[in-house]
Amino acid sequence: MLHIQENIKYILQRIEKACIANNRDPQEVQLLLATKTVPAARIRLAIEAGQTLLGENKIQEIKEKYDDLLDLKPTNHFIGHLQTNKIKDILKYDVTCIHSIDRLDLATKLHQRLTSKNKTMEVLIQVNTSNEESKFGIAPEDALALIQEVAQLDTLRIKGLMTIGLFSADEAQIRPCFQLLKNIQQQAKELHLPNVEMKELSMGMSGDLEIAIAEGATIVRVGTAIFGERLYPDSYYWNENK
């Protein structure tokens, strides 16, 4: 318990320092707990320490942990690659926002399912700002067109954008990924589209959250720095096919 509490406290301090250094209000940046592979018992400790925003990468993990965490009423986001045949499961488990809409067929099928349930869903458009073949996300040059298409689906509320920065220790290589997402956000705002708010930028993780905050992040996704190292590299968890 103390270990997780101290880690959370340290991350919140990092967020606050990064905001102050960039003349931002720390209240503008949400901490999302990236809980992939983390057992429900350890997630409970983090929620009890005051952090209620959770993000899972895989539907199966949401299913396995849902009942064990239900009494704490966390806010559940889905941050992994979403296959169309898993959409029905997303709607069963109180997921309030999907960070990984990256293609029209996925958005359309989600819209159809939501329409049948008379529901709406907040979504972020995932952009592959590092142009890595190993990562999901719409190509940056196609992002505005996808936003315009998804905006026509009235069950989907586009709240902003998501990206995964380049896995690198070189700040000079990471920063352009976040700058590009911010630029796409600004271009999208200028279109004044229906169902599009463009408020959120979900970017930055344990190793690069300061850079992301400097470039405008409003949600940082932190797992390793709170729950400890995992058995596999981050790239494993971003591929639904593995």
Side-chain angles (χ1 to χ4, degrees), residues 8-39:
I8 289 172
K9 183 179 179 181
Y10 176 59
I11 290 297
L12 293 175
Q13 288 173 344
R14 285 176 60 188
I15 291 171
E16 182 176 17
K17 287 180 180 178
C19 287
I20 291 171
N22 292 281
N23 297 312
R24 296 188 60 192
D25 182 351
Q27 298 299 316
E28 295 176 357
V29 182
Q30 297 181 78
L31 170 59
L32 178 147
L33 303 180
T35 51
K36 57 198 177 188
T37 78
V38 180

Side-chain angles (χ1 to χ4, degrees), residues 104 107-108 111 149-157 195:
L104 183 59
T108 300
H111 166 68
E149 291 170 327
V150 175
Q152 297 176 45
L153 306 174
D154 61 9
T155 64
L156 304 183
R157 305 284 186 257
N195 300 319

Side-chain angles (χ1 to χ4, degrees), residues 196-207:
V196 178
E197 191 172 351
M198 278 296 139
K199 175 185 176 184
E200 307 292 357
L201 287 180
S202 173
M203 59 187 192
M205 298 191 289
S206 295

Side-chain angles (χ1 to χ4, degrees), residues 139-190:
E141 61 269 23
D142 298 325
L144 288 176
L146 179 61
I147 292 166
Q148 290 174 295
E149 291 170 327
V150 175
Q152 297 176 45
L153 306 174
D154 61 9
T155 64
L156 304 183
R157 305 284 186 257
I158 303 177
K159 305 297 284 187
L161 307 171
M162 184 269 261
T163 198
I164 304 165
L166 189 72
F167 294 134
S168 171
D170 186 350
E171 179 179 328
Q173 294 188 52
I174 299 169
R175 190 176 295 274
C177 298
F178 300 146
Q179 291 174 330
L180 178 55
L181 199 71
K182 180 68 175 180
N183 183 256
I184 294 169
Q185 179 197 42
Q186 295 304 317
Q187 292 179 58
K189 282 183 177 181
E190 292 171 5

Side-chain angles (χ1 to χ4, degrees), residues 24 83 221 238:
R24 296 188 60 192
Q83 295 175 323
R221 309 179 303 270
W238 297 105

